[in-house]
Amino acid sequence: MLTELSYVFLSNSVSTRSLMRPNAAKAFVRVWKVMEMCYQILLQEKRVTQRELFYKLLCDSPHLFPSQKDVNRTIQDLVALLRCSRYSLGIMASSRGLIAGRLILQEPGKEVVDCSVCGSSGHTISGDFNLLEKLILNSDARYIIIVEKHAIFQRLAEDRFFHQIPSILITAKGYPDMATRFLLHRISRAFPELPILALVDWNPAGLAILCTFKFGSVGMGLESYRYACNVKWLGLRGHDLPMLPDQSLVPLKTKDLQIAQSLMSSKILQESYKEEVALMVQSGRRAEIEALYFHGYDYLGKYIAKKIVQSDYI
């Protein structure tokens, strides 16, 4: 059990954001309950995902944690309160990420993994931050390329694009999870000279994914900027639209416009990015990377290579 001293500390220090909520008392109890659960996890020298923690709390205190959202928000409060990482609380990331290309990974004392021979499916990124931190990394790549979509990642890996342009390909299959961001940051620290380029759809959501890698996520609280990287926008961008068939451009959805408004109101978003968002809203349309297949399935690699050679990224 947590000590009385811990209780006093928690009483005096629980995050301001929690106390400002209408149900502040319940938020306080949730923080206390998750803190106690994490204490038990650490005593057992275990690691759990947020999903596993949710089911444990759902069974133990269903009135406090009826949904995953309640657990996620409370973990964010606890991270802010203790000024620590999720991993130090015994909570590990549930990774969706994949990596391929000119990168060799090795866990200390284990076999080498050559990410260039993992096929179109790539190498699965572990959710264990401790393991990722200890990886021995070797690479002769000249670029790191973030790929928004799994299908595009598979196409580039299948075509072995990373040999055409010596590169490391990484994807989180959409909005990035913490483990994928952690590994990208780890690779960036190991090879600080490598430019990090992002290939995303030309729509507000695509840019939001890029910005999560670049600036972090507001939803991660104090962990927001911990794994931020200096990412450049490779494509798709507004000046690429003339090469796409008009019928491939589809109308923006309400959700797109909401994301666009959020991006435009950001104080950290650079002006060139805001100009792209304004163009999206003005045109009322969006374009997906797959539209490049209009020119043939091999055109995607040519498109990326040309932009890299011309340093056409912002």
Side-chain angles (χ1 to χ4, degrees):
M1 291 292 290
L2 297 173
T3 65
E4 185 176 351
L5 181 62
S6 298
Y7 179 81
V8 173
F9 172 76
L10 184 61
S11 300
N12 293 333
S13 308
V14 70
S15 73
T16 303
R17 189 169 61 83
S18 290
L19 294 176
M20 290 175 65
R21 295 182 197 144
N23 56 343
K26 182 174 283 189
F28 174 87
V29 177
R30 283 173 177 155
V31 169
W32 174 259
K33 192 66 183 177
V34 171
M35 195 175 186
E36 184 177 36
M37 193 71 72
C38 288
Y39 179 71
Q40 295 299 327
I41 292 167
L42 292 172
L43 279 182
Q44 298 173 47
E45 298 184 348
K46 297 286 188 182
R47 291 282 184 271
V48 300
T49 64
Q50 289 190 183
R51 191 64 176 169
E52 289 171 327
L53 184 60
F54 162 61
Y55 278 106
K56 177 64 175 170
L57 289 165
L58 180 65
C59 296
D60 191 69
S61 307
H63 61 293
L64 291 174
F65 301 98
S67 71
Q68 179 75 58
K69 186 188 299 183
D70 296 311
V71 176
N72 296 349
R73 186 185 294 119
T74 305
I75 291 171
Q76 182 180 332
D77 286 340
L78 190 53
V79 166
L81 167 66
L82 300 179
R83 298 186 177 275
C84 65
S85 67
R86 283 165 168 74
Y87 191 79
S88 64
L89 294 172
I91 301 169
M92 64 180 180
S94 180
S95 178
R96 302 184 306 273
L98 301 170
I99 194 164
R102 306 284 277 264
L103 180 68
I104 294 176
L105 309 173
Q106 184 179 17
E107 294 179 44
K110 295 194 176 182
E111 292 185 3
V112 168
V113 175
D114 185 347
C115 295
S116 69
V117 296
C118 293
S120 61
S121 57
H123 176 69
T124 302
I125 297 171
S126 170
D128 187 335
F129 283 22
N130 190 45
L131 184 154
L132 294 177
E133 185 61 43
K134 291 180 179 178
L135 285 175
I136 300 168
L137 307 175
N138 286 289
S139 178
D140 63 352
R142 295 178 58 190
Y143 300 91
I144 301 169
I145 303 176
I146 299 168
V147 183
E148 173 188 349
K149 293 180 168 179
H150 184 206
I152 300 298
F153 174 90
Q154 287 182 305
R155 167 52 50 205
L156 293 172
E158 176 72 23
D159 293 345
R160 301 175 74 79
F161 171 79
F162 43 76
H163 289 324
Q164 180 184 351
I165 297 288
S167 54
I168 299 167
L169 307 176
I170 188 167
T171 184
K173 304 178 186 177
Y175 279 93
D177 55 88
M178 287 292 288
T180 304
R181 288 183 57 204
F182 184 96
L183 181 58
L184 178 65
H185 188 262
R186 172 82 172 79
I187 295 170
S188 178
R189 283 189 286 124
F191 310 105
E193 73 283 359
L194 297 186
I196 305 174
L197 311 176
L199 180 67
V200 298
D201 287 340
W202 190 72
N203 61 23
L207 179 55
I209 288 169
L210 182 156
C211 289
T212 304
F213 281 108
K214 187 177 181 72
F215 303 116
S217 169
V218 173
M220 301 309 293
L222 289 182
E223 290 180 294
S224 177
Y225 305 108
R226 192 181 298 250
Y227 311 120
C229 295
N230 184 22
V231 180
K232 305 292 185 184
W233 190 357
L234 183 73
L236 293 173
R237 303 213 313 276
H239 68 257
D240 296 323
L241 298 185
M243 71 174 68
L244 305 179
D246 191 65
Q247 59 269 29
S248 70
L249 304 179
V250 296
L252 290 175
K253 299 178 180 178
T254 302
K255 182 66 174 177
D256 292 316
L257 295 174
Q258 291 172 348
I259 297 172
Q261 185 177 7
S262 177
L263 289 168
M264 291 296 285
S265 64
S266 171
K267 295 180 180 179
I268 60 176
L269 196 67
Q270 61 201 65
E271 199 57 37
S272 58
Y273 286 15
K274 289 187 177 182
E275 289 172 2
E276 289 280 347
V277 177
L279 181 58
M280 294 174 195
V281 174
Q282 181 183 355
S283 69
R285 298 191 294 179
R286 55 195 176 101
E288 299 191 357
I289 303 166
E290 288 88 345
L292 293 168
Y293 292 150
F294 171 76
H295 300 282
Y297 289 112
D298 61 344
Y299 184 75
L300 177 63
K302 295 177 182 177
Y303 164 82
I304 298 172
K306 181 179 178 181
K307 292 180 79 72
I308 288 177
V309 169
Q310 295 178 346
S311 297
D312 185 8
Y313 40 82
I314 54 176

